Structures are given as structure tokens and as C-alpha cells.
């Protein structure tokens, strides 16, 4: 248990105050999003299909094929083991007593109204100014 907490601590320290754009692979699909493994750092995170639990999702979940299909003009389908590009950062806890958390946001494949813009073609880290 202590080693898991130690890994989480060092991961948060490494990604604090920066955004890094990385390749990852979809390892699990649920109706509210999908899990991504980032092999470069050995981290796993969840890309939520909507910004808040009350907001609508840009994806439709197909339980028969275990896929998320983007609604609208883009023909994006997220499948198990697909390669994706995500931005990894730490979201600081605003209220005391809460913990900061690792946040993954989808860059590629691009889904209108959901994906974030690429920070750099070279995929280098971008520092966040406080």
C-alpha cells in the first residue's frame, strides 16, 4: 500500500505545473469514458466522456461491440487497444482536504466539442504559469 501511494506522489510531483502530450492505448471502455495506458510513464488514467456528470456526452456507447461512437459530424469510434494522444496534467484541489488528481484529456482522434487542441507537434511538455 505504501509503494502505491509513493508512486502516486511522485507521479503528481512530476506532472505538477505542466501539461505533457503523450501517446496512449485504450485499455477499457465504459459508457462514461475510457481508460488509457500511457506506456512511456507506465501510468493509467480515465478520459471522461463529459466534463461534468450532468452535461451531455459527445459519445454513444455500444455495449454489443464495446465501442464509443462520436455523435455529430466526426466519424470517430473509440475501440479497445486503439492508439490515442492525450494531454496529461495535474488538477489541483481547490478546497482544502481534497486531493489533486491526474487528468487525461483527448487530443487525437479529434472529436468536435470534446477534444483539446494539440499543444505542440513535437509533443514537448508545456509549463503552466501560476
Amino acid at each position: 500500500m505504501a509503494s502505491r501511494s509513493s508512486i502516486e506522489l511522485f507521479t503528481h510531483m512530476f506532472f505538477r505545473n505542466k501539461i505533457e502530450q503523450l501517446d496512449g492505448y485504450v485499455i477499457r471502455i465504459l459508457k462514461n469514458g475510457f481508460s488509457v495506458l500511457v506506456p512511456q510513464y507506465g501510468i493509467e488514467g480515465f478520459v471522461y466522456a463529459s466534463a461534468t456528470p450532468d452535461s451531455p456526452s459527445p459519445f454513444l456507447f455500444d455495449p454489443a461491440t464495446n465501442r464509443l461512437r462520436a455523435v455529430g459530424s466526426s466519424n470517430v469510434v473509440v475501440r479497445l487497444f486503439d492508439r490515442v494522444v492525450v494531454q496529461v496534467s495535474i488538477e489541483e484541489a481547490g478546497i482544502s482536504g481534497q486531493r489533486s488528481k491526474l487528468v487525461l484529456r483527448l487530443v487525437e482522434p479529434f472529436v468536435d466539442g470534446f477534444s483539446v487542441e494539440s499543444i505542440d507537434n513535437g509533443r514537448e511538455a508545456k509549463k503552466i504559469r501560476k
Side-chain angles (χ1 to χ4, degrees):
M1 184 69 181
S3 67
R4 187 177 316 161
S5 295
S6 175
I7 291 169
E8 184 178 346
L9 171 68
F10 285 110
T11 301
H12 284 217
M13 287 171 57
F14 180 78
F15 285 106
R16 175 177 276 152
N17 299 329
K18 67 179 170 179
I19 300 172
E20 197 153 326
Q21 192 164 294
L22 303 163
D23 290 331
Y25 297 93
V26 177
I27 58 171
R28 186 171 165 200
I29 298 176
L30 301 170
K31 65 181 178 181
N32 66 334
F34 51 95
S35 290
V36 175
L37 173 67
V38 179
Q40 183 174 345
Y41 293 109
I43 58 174
E44 182 182 326
F46 199 77
V47 177
Y48 289 96
S50 59
T52 64
D54 299 333
S55 63
S57 171
F59 294 100
L60 288 176
F61 177 64
D62 182 3
T65 59
N66 198 28
R67 296 178 181 176
L68 286 173
R69 182 176 304 278
V71 179
S73 61
S74 62
N75 292 327
V76 174
V77 177
V78 178
R79 298 177 201 79
L80 206 57
F81 305 119
D82 276 357
R83 187 189 74 78
V84 294
V85 177
V86 292
Q87 285 182 3
V88 180
S89 62
I90 297 294
E91 189 173 277
E92 297 294 332
I95 303 170
S96 63
Q98 290 185 342
R99 294 170 40 174
S100 58
K101 63 181 179 176
L102 188 71
V103 177
L104 274 65
R105 292 186 175 88
L106 184 66
V107 177
E108 294 175 14
F110 189 81
V111 177
D112 289 331
F114 178 72
S115 295
V116 295
E117 292 292 324
S118 178
I119 55 173
D120 191 347
N121 290 339
R123 296 201 181 137
E124 295 177 8
K126 178 182 177 183
K127 295 282 185 183
I128 300 173
R129 296 179 191 251
K130 284 192 168 187

